[in-house]
Amino acid sequence: MQRRDFFSSLGSVLSHGTKPNLENFIRPPYNQEASLFRQACPDCEGLCATACEEEVIKIAEDNTPYLDFSSNGCTFCEACAHACESEVLSLEYPKQIGAALNISVSSCLAWNDTMCFSCKEPCLENAIVFQGLFKPVIDLSKCTACGFCISRCPSFAIELKAI
């Protein structure tokens, strides 16, 4: 087991059981209007979550889908949009996730003089840029909020906020 995998599994155990705040759900991509989730999804069977190859779509207590990046990220594979019978998720809508990511300087190992590239390695868009060997920052113009960096960070320094 690699060190990164060990810390990820430890983090998964520590964060297990925390429920997302209903007000701040991060919704799956390919959606146009957040209010549609509350209108159409409660009567759905959660097909988007079943179709999700990365298993990041979860179903909340109110039977609406949300993204959980505690173990993986979104590849924008389009499977959720194809599975959505109520068209809350559709390929006609933007391929984006309504979230912004930020690196907590106080929690980040690299910002605290420990060489760590755990967040940079899985970033498909090269949106995490290092200022020298330390001090990673997220280039928001490139970041898709896919979430892959979140589960890879051993110190849980990447913060996710719904926008």
Side-chain angles (χ1 to χ4, degrees), residues 99-120:
L101 284 87
N102 181 53
I103 298 175
S104 169
V105 173
S106 62
S107 301
C108 178
L109 295 175
W111 273 91
N112 290 284
D113 300 329
T114 301
M115 190 159 311
C116 179
F117 296 99
S118 296
C119 61
K120 183 172 179 56

Side-chain angles (χ1 to χ4, degrees), residues 4 17 21 28 31 45 49-50 75 103-104 124 136 150 152:
R4 182 179 330 119
N21 181 347
N31 76 79
E45 298 175 14
T50 305
T75 61
I103 298 175
S104 169
L124 302 174
I150 295 170
R152 304 313 192 274

Side-chain angles (χ1 to χ4, degrees), residues 32-46:
Q32 181 68 23
E33 178 62 43
S35 65
L36 293 177
F37 286 102
R38 289 194 186 96
Q39 293 172 5
C41 295
D43 298 326
C44 181
E45 298 175 14

Side-chain angles (χ1 to χ4, degrees), residues 5 12-13 31-32 35 45 51 66 73 87 93 99 116 141-142:
D5 296 331
S12 174
V13 170
N31 76 79
Q32 181 68 23
S35 65
E45 298 175 14
Y66 69 93
E87 296 184 5
Y93 303 139
C116 179
S141 69
K142 292 181 179 178

Side-chain angles (χ1 to χ4, degrees), residues 14 46-47 53 68 76 110 115 141 154:
L14 292 174
L47 298 175
E53 297 172 2
D68 176 5
F76 300 97
M115 190 159 311
S141 69

